[in-house]
Amino acid sequence: MNCTIGEERIALYSGADLPPDEAREVELHLAECSGCREVLEELRSSRKALRRLAASESFLSATAETVRNRVMAEVETSRIGALSTRVPPASKSLGFPMPSWRWALAAVAATAILAVWLSTGRIVDPPLPPQQAERSEPVAVLPAEPPNSAPPEASREQAVEREQVQPESGLGPPTPRREVARTLPAPIRASTAAFDRPPARFDPGPEQAAVEKSTVAKIITDDPNVVIYWVLETEGID
Amino acid sequence: MAEWALGMETSLGEADRTARVSLVSRAQQGDIAAFETLLRLHERRVLGTAYRLLGKLEDAQDAAQEVFLRMHSHLSSFDSDDRLVPWLYRVTVNVCYDLGRNRKLRGGAASLDLLREDSGFEVQSPQASPETESLEQERQRLVEQGLQVLSDRERAALILRDLEGLTADEVGNILGISGATIRSHIASARIKLRQFVKQRMGMKP
């Protein structure tokens, strides 16, 4: 190609990459030069083929999926890694302020209570509601303490509720612990007191009888929001 | 504005544009599903560009993976999809440059024929083309092969301009090259490609 207009300008013109004034100049030349028109046609054909190439890349779909899966796996892995480095200790992750070693102690205490109960067939009871307490007889299980000698706050940790089921009368106002016990749902209020009593005295229905054959151990932690209730089925142990 | 951007304007509408912005925003907040949707939106663009730049599917796959992992770690720097797309092109080109350099250091670029075999395509020289094959299909194959004879800069400029449809100025911004120089690269690439095709089609250049 020997034209003064230059192949580079025609190449730019083929892709509309020339400013308007230069494009006009090329167009005037093309009108007179068949050689440059042929070059322009070939450039346009190549450009068209390139665009068709992009449209025919269906084989890339499978590769794209592979890439996507790899990237997602990598991202997930990095997210998990980042999360694991941010995870607080187990006791904090549970949302309780109680350290994990106290949970362990509580579990040991609960196990000890269970062992005592299995060996003696008796268990410490949570308090009964007043109307039941009035009708029930005290059932001594563990050495009773005076009602007003509740364990001090410092010793409440892993302590088992030691209160006896006793008539309300003459015992003074209930302790805060008894109030906690009263908030329990009905099945949990059932106790060995009911279990040890002759059924005729309560005359429970079938459902109530089943409920009353369970026993509840209550474990108090130093966190007033955390109280552990251990429900024990007592059927068949007598 | 690039043709792809114009196409997005006309075909997607405002709702879809908003959805894309929302996608970026959700991905920034750790929404993994939104990030995966972003991948699906851009994977063909990145993978196709990488494949044309590197000429080998295996390398293009590695490059695309690297690009998207970088995208994930830089998500916070994008306020919308409009900024994300040029960034993706720029990183794709850079990653492909690096990969191409490493490949050459490892033992030179593979031949075009080998590249085609690797990508699962049957390689046919112009002489071996079936008579029934159309001239256009032949030209298309030659154009694909011809891309590999270009310099890295010329190939990147041509792919972004003629294959991806970005404007010359946008290509210049992505490659970090001035307007006049990028036009020179684009023109040079078109001329070389024309000559490559013409020589192999048995015509006088």
Side-chain angles (χ1 to χ4, degrees):
Chain A
M1 183 175 173
N2 299 315
C3 291
T4 53
I5 197 78
E7 191 172 359
E8 182 171 319
R9 292 175 79 186
I10 297 177
L12 290 173
Y13 177 82
S14 70
D17 293 315
L18 279 180
D21 53 337
E22 284 190 51
R24 179 66 187 153
E25 193 179 332
V26 170
E27 283 169 359
L28 289 173
H29 175 77
L30 287 171
E32 300 171 351
C33 181
S34 61
C36 286
R37 284 200 300 272
E38 188 181 336
V39 169
L40 176 64
E41 192 53 41
E42 289 166 5
L43 285 164
R44 283 177 169 167
S45 296
S46 294
R47 196 163 182 263
K48 212 161 88 179
L50 201 56
R51 285 180 169 270
R52 278 203 308 273
L53 204 60
S56 67
E57 289 172 335
S58 58
F59 64 95
L60 286 179
S61 296
T63 309
E65 189 176 350
T66 305
V67 169
R68 191 190 323 130
N69 292 337
R70 284 187 188 178
V71 171
M72 293 307 295
E74 188 99 5
V75 167
E76 288 285 1
T77 303
S78 65
R79 284 180 76 222
I80 290 169
L83 283 175
S84 66
T85 57
R86 290 199 301 265
V87 168
S91 60
K92 290 181 181 175
S93 67
L94 290 172
F96 297 111
M98 191 168 79
S100 57
W101 64 269
R102 292 187 179 179
W103 282 107
L105 282 177
V108 169
T111 306
I113 293 298
L114 179 63
V116 168
W117 175 70
L118 286 175
S119 62
T120 63
R122 298 179 180 184
I123 192 69
V124 178
D125 299 326
L128 286 175
Q131 65 272 23
Q132 282 195 354
E134 287 170 2
R135 291 184 297 170
S136 64
E137 299 170 359
V139 179
V141 180
L142 292 178
E145 294 179 6
N148 292 329
S149 63
E153 287 297 317
S155 64
R156 282 170 58 189
E157 177 184 313
Q158 25 162 329
V160 176
E161 179 93 20
R162 291 183 163 192
E163 290 174 287
Q164 298 291 318
V165 178
Q166 293 183 18
E168 291 275 343
S169 57
L171 294 180
T175 65
R177 290 192 196 176
R178 295 179 68 86
E179 289 175 4
V180 170
R182 282 181 185 131
T183 64
L184 294 175
I188 295 184
R189 284 201 298 266
S191 67
T192 51
F195 170 73
D196 290 335
R197 283 191 295 271
R201 294 188 63 180
F202 280 89
D203 192 21
E207 290 181 5
Q208 183 66 19
V211 165
E212 289 179 348
K213 287 186 177 180
S214 63
T215 301
V216 178
K218 180 179 176 184
I219 301 171
I220 299 175
T221 70
D222 62 348
D223 184 342
N225 295 320
V226 180
V227 178
I228 301 171
Y229 289 96
W230 195 298
V231 182
L232 304 166
E233 294 296 330
T234 57
E235 192 169 11
I237 301 174
D238 200 358
Chain B
M1 183 180 287
E3 291 176 30
W4 60 264
L6 285 170
M8 275 171 44
E9 282 284 351
T10 53
S11 62
L12 294 178
E14 191 59 34
D16 287 325
R17 282 175 54 79
T18 305
R20 287 191 178 215
V21 173
S22 169
L23 263 183
V24 173
S25 172
R26 281 165 49 204
Q28 286 169 343
Q29 291 162 10
D31 185 336
I32 202 73
F35 178 73
E36 186 172 4
T37 307
L38 277 178
L39 279 190
R40 290 177 185 274
L41 277 173
H42 300 296
E43 62 192 7
R44 283 294 297 270
R45 173 177 292 134
V46 170
L47 189 61
T49 303
Y51 177 61
R52 294 301 160 212
L53 286 171
L54 294 166
K56 194 173 184 181
L57 200 55
E58 184 183 320
D59 288 343
Q61 192 170 299
D62 291 343
Q65 183 175 338
E66 174 65 21
V67 169
F68 284 124
L69 288 175
R70 289 190 191 184
M71 180 180 96
H72 182 259
S73 59
H74 288 82
L75 269 176
S76 58
S77 58
F78 309 119
D79 52 8
S80 71
D81 203 60
D82 292 342
R83 284 189 61 194
L84 175 61
V85 173
W87 184 90
L88 280 174
Y89 278 125
R90 182 159 46 249
V91 174
T92 302
V93 169
N94 290 338
V95 167
C96 288
Y97 279 174
D98 292 342
L99 273 177
R101 267 196 294 271
N102 291 338
R103 193 178 64 187
K104 284 172 187 169
L105 287 174
R106 286 200 309 264
S111 72
L112 291 175
D113 287 353
L114 285 175
L115 293 175
R116 293 301 298 272
E117 284 167 0
D118 284 348
S119 63
F121 276 77
E122 184 183 355
V123 180
Q124 292 180 317
S125 66
Q127 293 77 13
S129 300
E131 290 180 2
T132 54
E133 192 173 47
S134 74
L135 199 64
E136 289 306 311
Q137 287 173 321
E138 178 67 14
R139 187 186 301 275
Q140 193 171 317
R141 269 202 307 277
L142 288 171
V143 161
E144 188 177 20
Q145 292 180 12
L147 285 174
Q148 303 304 320
V149 305
L150 305 177
S151 71
D152 287 347
R153 281 281 169 86
E154 289 170 343
R155 186 163 52 250
L158 191 71
I159 287 170
L160 294 177
R161 175 68 189 98
D162 286 355
L163 218 147
E164 295 297 316
L166 277 65
T167 65
D169 288 338
E170 286 170 333
V171 175
N173 287 334
I174 287 170
L175 299 181
I177 300 173
S178 70
T181 308
I182 197 64
R183 281 177 176 76
S184 175
H185 284 312
I186 291 170
S188 173
R190 285 174 182 161
I191 291 167
K192 286 182 182 176
L193 204 58
R194 179 190 80 84
Q195 291 172 341
F196 181 89
V197 172
K198 192 167 184 177
Q199 282 172 349
R200 280 152 186 79
M201 291 187 85
M203 291 182 277
K204 190 177 172 183

